[in-house]
Amino acid sequence: MLMICLCFLLTGDGNPKESSPFINSTDPEKNQQYDGKNMALFEEEMDTIPMVSSLLSSLANYSNLPQGSKEHEEAENNEGSRKKPVQAPRMGTLMGVYLPCLQNILGVILFLRMTWMVGIGGVIEAFIIVLMCCSTTMLTAISMSAIATNGVVPAGGSYYMISRSLGPEFGGAVGICFYLGTTFAGAMYILGCIEILLVYIVPQAAIFKMEGLEGAEAEAAMLNNMRVYGTLVLSFMAIVVFVGVKYVNKLALVFLACVICSILAVYAGVIKTAFEPPVFPVCVLGNRTLVWKGFDVCAKVIERENATVTTKLWRLFCDSEFLNATCDSYFANNNITEIQGIPGIMSGTLRENLFGNYMDKGSFIEKVGLSAAVEPDSIPTNTNRYVLADITSFFTMLVGIYFPSVTGIMAGSNRSGDLQDAQKSIPIGTILAITTTSIIYMSSVFLFGSCIEGTVLRDKFGEAVRGNLVIGTLAWPSPWVIVFGSFFSTCGAGLQSLTGAPRLMQAIARDGIVPFLRVFGHGKANGEPTWALLLTACICESGILIASLDNVAPILSMFFLMCYMFVNLACAVQTLLRTPNWRPRFKFYHWTLSFLGMSLCLSLMFICSWYYAIVAMGIASCIYKYIEFRGAEKEWGDGIRGLSLSAARFALMRLEEGPPHTKNWRPQILVLVNMDSELNVEQPRLLSLTSQLKAGKGLTIVGTALEGTYLENHPQGQQAEQSLRKLMEAEKVKGFSQVVISSNMRDATSHLVQAGGLGGLQHNTVLACWPRNWKQAEDHQSWRNFIELVRETTAASEALLVPKNVSAFPSNGERFTEGHIDVWWIVHDGATFVLLLIILHICISLLYLQHDSDISAYTYEKTLMMEQRSQILKQINLTKTEREREIQSITDSSRGSIRRKNPAAVTTQLSVTEEPAASSKEEKPEEEVQPLIHDKSTNPPTPATPQSPSADAETPGTASFFFPILL
């Protein structure tokens, strides 16, 4: 780390500027080459490269606050003044990215839990945990670098990166998760601060005394102390942030110095143990480690003035100070041993600490290699005198506790608006910071395992070393360097979380993508997020009430891992979809690294805690769905939409491989509707039939035709399309709408039939109404258009469904008690017709069919008869009129035969509530509905001549359908 910092000092502020030309003051000829112009350029270039004085000035103005805090501070300082505030100088890589990331990554877990993790998991497993977590953040940093070098980096950090890459839904969901992670991080830092204060600095300040308490009572007292003091510290910090961020900003350099000094003190202590290990004795009874509290000598008795006297330790386990006192059985049967807690790096302790030693809650922390005499079936007594495991430990729990120690990698990207060259500073500074901290963490695992006794490593609160912070026992020159350094570091990290989280929430609220969060976008006159700060304090208080650092750490791990996972996902999706505006210049980036980082994040989420992972993903999913249905639409681009388009394209290309099998045939319907003069649908019940027939499955295209030219009638076309979509939504028809404008209605309808659908996803069935009042109309164009439609569907080998009296069809909200539906068909494939009837039977819940097998068999028989007679008529060379007359007589005869043989096969009962029709038991007059006569091998079909002037009149409560199956 010192070498990296030295490199920054030698190269200035890390700005990507060329070095100034070297002037050899001893060579007058070279010095004379610089004329006035060159010297002016030289002086200008020297001004851009800060020397030691400018570096010290930058350190004095160092700030670790997120984007926007500086502007709010300036607005507060200039409040009431008309002077325009002077913009703060842009920061470089060192001050703007490297040091803030370093300060955010190195934190409370390193000081309070790192030694315990090495002792519990062993050096090998602890190193694996550190390697996994650091690899995850490094891969995420590479993805961030790709985003940073893709173009202009917007101010706002990770939330803006994700929302502008994956769309508002993912951006809002992950932004809120990142906000929650930052908020719970504030709770974790505050709990760490209180733990240092009450355990290592002033234990006597505890409100709930723990003296003499054991087990659950002692644990409850400690948690209550954490809750009370945590709430007080949170309130104080929230007030400081509310008053003004300038006070937090002034302490940023102090907090940074505390972190750096603490790390240096640990490394100095490690070096010192090689020559002179510190004296930190540990007292062991049998093989159980004792709490070094209430006694001064690690012995049962001592010699004093030629006499054997008992010690204070004796009195803790015996009922009197005399040698004949009654003592605890374990104390009486085992010897006292004093071992060195910090044997030093050259002691060979590493071999004993290589492997894990997981324990259950309440287990004794024992010295490996020492024997003990334990009476069988004896109940342990005086357990408060021994160092016990406070929680049940296992590998996945260690991962969840440790991961927060590698978070904070986005401290540089969150301040991208303050950077002089964000595209270069963010990659260099972030990757260097992760490299530095990874080296610190990995080396700490080996150094702690090599220098500290295993019993001390497993002692989470340092009870065996007189209540000292375990990592502090290794520090030089004094443990208090680590104690106070970690205390102020955690305080600073808590303030930074309470400063950054509200601004992130304010940015989300002001974007307006989550409507119910808009109130948190308001604040003070200078822009301070007052309402967002109040929300952050309330959420942070919920973490304080948990009161356990070990329980809060996995929660924020979930939210940070969620955020990192979607940063990697954004890069991978943009690369795989080959988005035109995705051209990162970071040469070490590849989409496989982003995919690997995303996989690691997802794996770590379930490794840490599978139920926390499910809850976090559930929260993100709920937010995503809420934004999708209720949120505002933003033109930010949507990588997921591009992914959907790619998947749709792949599926369409697969559909082109061949025609569907008969078993897979489904009606893909093109619904043809007419529009009135006000561009409203004339047959809304046609969409009711479609909705009930399709039940939201398969393809549905609702099309209409307008007469005119596209250039002149384009607004009317848009209005007609909106009308179609509105009606489709009301009738719950899931599909697509299409409006075609042409010089005449016939051509427009033909275009719809020909061009509907895309590739293999095309309609195979056309649904159109029977022409109304076609016989009485002076203009016969309506039935001519209908005949042309029949011809076109025949040519396209598509099925044609023609409902008559569709206005009498029940809507989705109606139930009929009487009435009937007459189904008339011209068949070339009886099986397909039966399939249509089955679909009608299933989708229209009010409709039931009878004697399906009779329909199938009789339809097949009559189909063969009609085909045979049609072939005979062709062979005898009849005229067109004569042939149509013969076909009509055949159809009339067949229809009567069908009614006599099985009336239920053609007429099916329907429950109706209004206008009851004629009883279904009575035979329906043949004049009411005329069948459409069509043979695929003959001329196009025409409607049969009605035998009554009212043949085209609509009868209430009756709906008739023609099903020409042309396949």
Side-chain angles (χ1 to χ4, degrees), residues 826-853:
I826 296 175
V827 286
H828 281 227
D829 186 352
T832 307
F833 171 74
V834 173
L835 178 60
L836 280 173
L837 288 182
I838 291 174
I839 294 174
L840 189 66
H841 170 63
I842 294 174
C843 297
I844 306 178
S845 59
L846 305 178
L847 182 67
Y848 64 91
L849 297 175
Q850 300 175 353
H851 305 292
D852 292 341
S853 59

Side-chain angles (χ1 to χ4, degrees), residues 69 90 309 340 351 387 481 491 520 587 589 600 626 637 731 835 876 879:
S69 302
R90 298 287 183 177
V309 297
Q340 184 56 257
R351 290 191 299 271
V387 181
V481 175
C491 288
F520 300 108
K587 61 181 179 180
Y589 167 76
L600 275 176
Y626 178 81
E731 297 292 342
L835 178 60
I876 62 177
T879 64

Side-chain angles (χ1 to χ4, degrees), residues 720-789:
E721 187 170 2
Q722 292 177 357
S723 179
L724 284 180
R725 291 179 179 176
K726 185 177 180 180
L727 183 60
M728 291 172 64
E729 183 178 356
E731 297 292 342
K732 299 181 180 179
V733 176
K734 297 181 179 180
F736 307 95
S737 60
Q738 189 172 2
V739 178
V740 173
I741 304 174
S742 184
S743 58
N744 59 79
M745 298 294 292
R746 174 82 289 279
D747 290 344
T749 305
S750 177
H751 297 160
L752 279 172
V753 175
Q754 295 179 56
L758 177 64
L761 196 63
Q762 291 184 344
H763 60 275
N764 54 27
T765 303
V766 177
L767 177 60
C769 284
W770 177 264
R772 184 178 181 182
N773 298 327
W774 62 273
K775 185 174 179 60
Q776 287 79 13
E778 296 181 358
D779 184 12
H780 301 289
Q781 189 62 38
S782 60
W783 66 266
R784 290 193 179 98
N785 291 343
F786 178 74
I787 293 175
E788 290 298 321
L789 175 63

Side-chain angles (χ1 to χ4, degrees), residues 674-714:
N674 297 326
M675 310 292 287
D676 57 17
S677 58
E678 296 180 356
L679 297 179
N680 294 321
V681 178
E682 292 183 350
Q683 309 95 359
R685 287 294 185 269
L686 196 61
L687 293 185
S688 300
L689 170 63
T690 304
S691 174
Q692 298 182 33
L693 184 65
K694 297 290 294 181
K697 306 299 182 182
L699 173 68
T700 302
I701 303 175
V702 181
T704 187
L706 298 181
E707 188 173 357
T709 61
Y710 181 76
L711 293 179
E712 296 179 357
N713 298 92
H714 179 62

Side-chain angles (χ1 to χ4, degrees), residues 432-475:
L432 281 179
I434 294 176
T435 303
T436 304
T437 54
S438 298
I439 293 173
I440 292 175
Y441 284 133
M442 292 179 183
S443 61
S444 297
V445 171
F446 286 101
L447 294 178
F448 293 161
S450 302
C451 298
I452 304 176
E453 167 64 36
T455 55
V456 179
L457 287 174
R458 291 186 288 276
D459 183 6
K460 182 184 291 186
F461 303 107
E463 296 174 300
V465 286
R466 302 177 185 271
N468 285 283
L469 184 62
V470 175
I471 192 175
T473 60
L474 192 63

Side-chain angles (χ1 to χ4, degrees), residues 147-173:
I147 296 175
T149 58
N150 184 56
V152 178
V153 180
S158 58
Y159 162 67
Y160 288 90
M161 291 181 183
I162 299 171
S163 61
R164 271 60 175 180
S165 299
L166 291 180
E169 292 86 1
F170 271 105

Side-chain angles (χ1 to χ4, degrees), residues 54-328:
S54 60
L55 179 62
L56 294 177
S57 176
S58 300
L59 283 172
N61 296 323
Y62 169 74
S63 170
N64 192 30
L65 299 181
Q67 174 72 23
S69 302
K70 197 72 176 178
E71 289 80 354
H72 293 167
E73 180 183 347
E74 292 175 354
E76 186 175 351
N77 291 335
N78 292 276
E79 191 172 349
S81 175
R82 296 184 179 179
K83 295 182 179 180
K84 184 178 179 180
V86 180
Q87 185 178 5
R90 298 287 183 177
M91 292 179 291
T93 303
L94 177 63
M95 296 299 170
V97 181
Y98 178 77
L99 290 180
C101 287
L102 199 71
Q103 182 177 352
N104 279 267
I105 296 174
L106 298 173
V108 61
I109 300 297
L110 173 64
F111 299 124
L112 295 182
R113 295 293 183 267
M114 191 70 177
T115 53
W116 173 77
M117 188 187 75
V118 174
I120 294 294
V123 173
I124 295 177
E125 292 186 19
F127 183 81
I128 292 174
I129 293 173
V130 173
L131 182 62
M132 283 195 307
C133 296
C134 292
S135 299
T136 301
T137 55
M138 180 60 76
L139 292 172
T140 305
I142 293 175
S143 298
M144 286 175 51
S145 301
I147 296 175
T149 58
N150 184 56
V152 178
V153 180
S158 58
Y159 162 67
Y160 288 90
M161 291 181 183
I162 299 171
S163 61
R164 271 60 175 180
S165 299
L166 291 180
E169 292 86 1
F170 271 105
V174 180
I176 292 177
C177 287
F178 188 50
Y179 163 76
L180 293 175
T182 306
T183 303
F184 276 100
M188 183 189 70
Y189 292 132
I190 292 175
L191 290 175
C193 171
I194 302 303
E195 182 177 315
I196 296 172
L197 179 67
L198 295 181
V199 177
Y200 305 111
I201 299 179
V202 282
Q204 60 274 16
I207 298 176
F208 299 89
K209 302 299 181 182
M210 295 178 290
E211 292 292 337
L213 299 180
E214 298 183 15
E217 295 180 351
E219 182 181 359
M222 182 63 183
L223 293 179
N224 289 332
N225 285 320
M226 299 287 285
R227 293 185 180 104
V228 173
Y229 277 97
T231 302
L232 294 176
V233 173
L234 173 62
S235 302
F236 174 76
M237 289 184 175
I239 292 173
V240 171
V241 174
F242 176 78
V243 170
V245 296
K246 59 183 178 182
Y247 302 106
V248 182
N249 198 22
K250 293 182 183 299
L251 297 174
L253 186 60
V254 176
F255 300 145
L256 175 64
C258 291
V259 173
I260 295 178
C261 292
S262 299
I263 300 297
L264 294 178
V266 172
Y267 280 100
V270 170
I271 296 174
K272 184 177 180 294
T273 61
F275 308 99
E276 185 183 352
V279 179
F280 276 99
V282 176
C283 193
V284 180
L285 175 61
N287 61 357
R288 299 176 183 175
T289 307
L290 296 176
V291 176
W292 198 301
K293 185 178 182 181
F295 64 92
D296 52 354
V297 179
C298 183
K300 294 181 179 180
V301 295
I302 57 174
E303 296 293 332
R304 181 182 297 170
E305 298 179 357
N306 298 327
T308 301
V309 297
T310 59
T311 63
K312 293 182 179 180
L313 182 59
W314 174 282
R315 298 161 195 169
L316 295 177
F317 288 92
C318 302
D319 57 0
S320 71
E321 63 181 4
F322 302 105
L323 293 175
N324 59 353
T326 302
C327 299
D328 178 81

